[in-house]
Amino acid sequence: MKPSSWGRRKREHTIKNTLKMIKNLTKALTLVIGMIGFSLTSNAQTATGNASATIISPIGLTAETPMAFGSVMSGQAGTVQLPVSGGPRVATDVALSSIGISSAATFSVTGEANYTYSISLPATATLTHSNAVDVMTVNNFLTDQPENIGTLSGTGNDVFTVGATLNVSAGQLSGQYLGTYDVTVAYN
């Protein structure tokens, strides 16, 4: 009996020692992992960043006064310039009539107070006779705003003027000519 109980005790003792070693090894391993984790987190830093947004009013554009070249007498080819300064029309090689109204166009802009905006003008536009056949070309569009940049007032309003040059052909058919052109504004 002694040999078998002694062998069993030895095995139990070996199992207990093995379990103790595993337990101690687990503690040591947990301690090492904890130290590694602590050293990794102790090197990390956190900062809080700021974020912001500003919502602005959409920019608006309204055509107020139409562009009107007034009355021009037919005859030879020439041009009529509408200055943005509000001054009189300038004719080259055509005769102007005092009949009818002439004026540069005006546009009003609304939007965010004190913001600047850019003005885009067309290269050309076409005025078509009521017969839908004869035409005249308008070109050299310009504004009264330096470099086509305007600034909205403290209340978010502004007005600018647009002038252009009308090109009249020799023997241009008499009658009324109408057309449209696009002006665009955008915040800078």
Side-chain angles (χ1 to χ4, degrees), residues 6-151:
W6 185 78
R8 193 175 58 172
R9 274 195 231 151
K10 189 174 182 181
R11 276 186 302 225
E12 287 174 1
H13 182 63
T14 304
I15 291 173
K16 281 183 184 179
N17 283 344
T18 303
L19 289 175
K20 263 187 185 178
M21 272 190 352
I22 291 173
K23 200 177 204 182
N24 288 339
L25 192 59
T26 303
K27 286 180 184 177
L29 193 55
T30 303
L31 183 63
V32 168
I33 290 172
M35 290 173 72
I36 290 171
F38 178 73
S39 69
L40 289 176
T41 58
S42 65
N43 287 332
Q45 299 294 318
T46 301
T48 301
N50 296 317
S52 68
T54 302
I55 307 299
I56 61 172
S57 303
I59 195 164
L61 179 65
T62 304
E64 300 290 344
T65 305
M67 184 178 291
F69 288 94
S71 297
V72 180
M73 291 181 230
S74 68
Q76 62 185 25
T79 61
V80 179
Q81 294 176 329
L82 279 179
V84 294
S85 64
R89 300 174 289 170
V90 177
T92 304
D93 298 327
V94 294
L96 300 176
S97 168
S98 59
I99 300 171
I101 297 171
S102 65
S103 68
T106 58
F107 291 84
S108 63
V109 184
T110 58
E112 198 67 27
N114 303 313
Y115 272 54
T116 61
Y117 62 92
S118 59
I119 304 165
S120 298
L121 300 170
T124 62
T126 302
L127 302 184
T128 305
H129 189 276
S130 56
N131 69 6
V133 175
D134 291 289
V135 296
M136 289 189 285
T137 302
V138 178
N139 61 2
N140 299 324
F141 286 85
L142 55 103
T143 72
D144 61 346
Q145 300 294 318
E147 298 182 28
N148 292 343
I149 304 292
T151 302

